[in-house]
Amino acid sequence: MTHGRTVIRNGLVITAADELHADVLIDGERVVALAATGSPEAQAWRADRTIDATDCYVIPGGVDAHTHMELPFGGTFASDTFETGTRAAAFGGTTTIVDFAVQSVGHSLREGLDAWHAKAQGNCAIDYGFHMIMSDVTEQSLKEMDLLVEEGVTSFKLFMAYPGVFYSDDGRILRAMQRSAGNGGLIMMHAENGIAIDVLVEQALAARHTDPRYHGEVRRELLEAEATHRAIQLARVAGSPLYVVHVSAEQAVAELAQARDLGLNVFGETCPQYLFLSTDNLAEPDFEGAKYVCSTPLRPREHQAALWRGLRTNDLSVVSTDHCPFCFVGQKDLGRGDFSKIPNGLPGVENRMDLLHQAHLDGHISRRRWIELACATPARMFGLYPRKGTIAPGADADIVVFDPHDRYTMSAATHHMNVDYSAYEGRQVTGRARTVLSRGAVVVDGGEYLGHAGHGTFVPRATCAYLN
Ligand SMILES: [Zn+2]
């Protein structure tokens, strides 16, 4: 599909590396040139369409490396389909997601990947890739890892939590890490000691501690830190890199910092919910706390400072959403009277870019760090760079014209995610996407959706660009 030539004029182009007043020329699906605004070169460009970005930022489309559209969990499914979830992502200025295909126990990686391709293909508003969740590490699935790396599914998520569902024991984890050390894959870890947590869950329920806030209490910080430590040591033994997903506890950040100080290929991700929400939300009365049940859990507010510090020091290098929405009515409900039956997950794919921009305004991170955490580093980490994550000649024209002055209130009444509540209801933020391009096509403009299901295509990924 061709979209002719488009020029974006008069904006401040911000990438992880630079901020410059430049015009951007797009031909078809790709960026072909940048030139200083007002320069003879830029003025000479002729285009079929001009987008005026005066007083706006021109930034790479967001890369959300952690989403779960339609994920089966706890007897139900995440409420966003690939169609609704990617449309919401586009509204929020995110133009690539990397979602998780799931291997079920007793089945091959191939079957899981095929099933997720079938869910996504023809339905996405923006481009997408897949990680592979390994629930069953066997001789066969270990061999399949090599094939998946070759076809662009280059990262594998393992769980130290959820015994009986996604859980892998240390031996299986070690085997998968050894395999990835050989094939270039990146192991992503859900680091919580699920065996110990299940004991605490049983004891809490026996003591009639059934409210949502106990979800946060039984999933102890130390059990996140312990699992993070163990995962790091297993990766060292295997000689493999490690990416720890959704880090929430200060003690887990400390484990990552220590590993990184040793020069290890260990990387950490956190999510907006851990930066902006806390156990105060989990303790909201009348079961409202269920809206904030996710794993790892929200932590006491004091942990936020350590997360922001980690984001500045690069001990945490990616902010993804772990978008996994369940409606309050009809889904979160399943856990009334038993917090362990509340489906785990929060909506957020639409909110991430704006919350991180707000974090910049609040003094937590610089403007370029905002782009680094939300676009460039996830693209590099998961083999999408420089096609995604930056604005440069040759890159896909995944570009957001971002109005940094547009103040609005986040709400379920106005968001586009297919879920009946917002985790950020009533929160005022300044700055949001005005015009969003995906591979040269305008998919969102001024609050209106102009894209279509099926525009987004599967993107095969290279291996992680950070390994030394
Ligand atoms: Zn997840």
Side-chain angles (χ1 to χ4, degrees), residues 7-83:
V7 61
I8 304 175
R9 295 207 187 270
N10 307 317
L12 178 67
V13 176
I14 306 175
T15 65
D18 297 298
E19 300 189 0
L20 60 159
H21 291 279
D23 295 355
V24 180
L25 181 64
I26 297 161
D27 194 356
E29 301 194 338
R30 301 211 160 184
V31 174
V32 290
L34 281 81
T37 299
S39 65
E41 184 189 350
Q43 285 182 329
W45 290 340
R46 294 288 163 260
D48 305 298
R49 174 175 56 187
T50 299
I51 296 171
D52 183 14
T54 301
D55 295 330
C56 287
Y57 301 154
V58 177
I59 60 174
V63 177
D64 191 340
H66 192 154
T67 66
H68 296 284
M69 307 305 172
E70 306 181 49
L71 178 77
F73 189 97
T76 184
F77 287 83
S79 59
D80 261 318
T81 61
F82 279 89
E83 181 173 356

Side-chain angles (χ1 to χ4, degrees), residues 88-370:
F91 272 104
T94 285
T95 53
T96 307
I97 60 165
V98 190
D99 202 273
F100 289 86
V102 180
Q103 175 204 21
S104 331
V105 175
H107 295 265
S108 64
L109 299 186
R110 171 66 53 200
E111 287 170 82
L113 182 58
D114 285 350
W116 256 258
H117 271 301
K119 289 175 202 243
Q121 197 172 14
N123 292 319
C124 292
I126 56 167
D127 286 352
Y128 60 95
F130 288 122
H131 312 285
M132 190 80 222
I133 287 177
M134 291 185 77
S135 311
D136 201 359
V137 177
T138 61
E139 272 311 306
Q140 176 60 23
S141 59
L142 287 167
K143 284 189 192 129
E144 283 190 281
M145 288 173 79
D146 302 359
L147 299 173
L148 262 58
V149 170
E150 279 171 30
E151 59 189 74
V153 177
T154 57
S155 36
F156 302 88
K157 187 179 182 188
L158 294 160
F159 289 77
M160 302 168 103
Y162 303 128
V165 189
F166 298 126
Y167 173 83
S168 291
D169 65 22
D170 291 352
R172 287 172 169 220
I173 289 168
L174 183 68
R175 284 185 203 277
M177 286 174 164
Q178 287 171 331
R179 195 80 187 194
S180 77
N183 65 26
L186 180 60
I187 296 291
M188 308 170 76
M189 190 62 71
H190 179 132
E192 286 188 292
N193 186 328
I195 300 285
I197 285 169
D198 274 7
V199 172
L200 298 179
V201 169
E202 189 188 302
Q203 291 169 348
L205 293 175
R208 297 205 176 81
H209 293 163
T210 60
D211 288 346
R213 70 186 171 96
Y214 293 102
H215 171 83
E217 294 193 8
V218 298
R219 305 188 83 92
R220 301 276 291 268
E221 296 150 14
L222 291 176
L223 297 177
E224 182 188 348
E226 182 277 328
T228 304
H229 179 84
R230 185 157 35 101
I232 291 167
Q233 306 316 323
L234 290 168
R236 292 176 78 178
V237 169
S240 79
L242 174 69
Y243 177 95
V244 182
V245 296
H246 51 54
V247 175
S248 65
E250 177 170 13
Q251 298 92 328
V253 179
E255 295 290 344
L256 294 171
Q258 197 176 33
R260 291 181 55 80
D261 286 349
L262 293 172
L264 303 174
N265 284 320
V266 171
F267 309 97
E269 166 198 276
T270 191
C271 312
Q273 53 269 35
Y274 307 118
L275 297 164
F276 290 90
L277 305 173
S278 73
T279 45
D280 296 352
N281 300 98
L282 268 176
E284 285 178 15
D286 303 327
F287 195 65
E288 294 272 320
K291 294 176 176 176
Y292 307 95
V293 165
C294 59
S295 297
T296 61
L298 302 184
R299 301 298 183 189
R301 199 167 277 282
E302 302 80 75
H303 290 253
Q304 291 172 0
L307 298 178
W308 289 119
R309 188 170 60 244
L311 289 172
R312 287 190 296 271
T313 60
N314 211 37
D315 290 321
L316 298 170
S317 54
V318 171
V319 179
S320 308
T321 59
D322 196 4
H323 176 77
C324 192
F326 296 98
C327 288
F328 185 62
V329 177
Q331 293 194 293
K332 291 287 189 180
D333 276 358
L334 296 168
R336 265 189 208 274
D338 179 351
F339 69 85
S340 73
K341 297 204 163 60
I342 301 170
N344 283 207
L346 294 189
V349 75
E350 189 172 353
N351 306 124
R352 180 185 67 128
M353 296 297 286
D354 298 351
L355 288 168
L356 289 176
H357 177 258
Q358 186 62 43
H360 157 63
L361 297 178
D362 294 344
H364 292 297
I365 51 174
S366 73
R367 219 156 37 181
R368 276 175 288 136
R369 186 63 174 158
W370 164 47

Side-chain angles (χ1 to χ4, degrees), residues 363-438:
H364 292 297
I365 51 174
S366 73
R367 219 156 37 181
R368 276 175 288 136
R369 186 63 174 158
W370 164 47
I371 300 305
E372 193 164 38
L373 293 168
C375 312
T377 301
R380 285 197 176 102
M381 188 70 68
F382 296 106
L384 292 161
Y385 198 90
R387 184 171 166 192
K388 309 292 190 188
T390 192
I391 299 176
D396 280 356
D398 287 7
I399 297 180
V400 175
V401 177
F402 187 90
D403 181 348
H405 309 291
D406 186 355
R407 189 169 170 80
Y408 76 102
T409 304
M410 290 181 169
S411 172
T414 48
H415 74 199
H416 302 87
M417 298 177 284
N418 184 41
V419 59
D420 62 359
Y421 74 96
S422 169
Y424 306 99
E425 187 68 40
R427 184 177 295 261
Q428 294 212 333
V429 294
T430 301
R432 74 165 137 184
R434 191 197 76 191
T435 308
V436 180
L437 287 84
S438 165

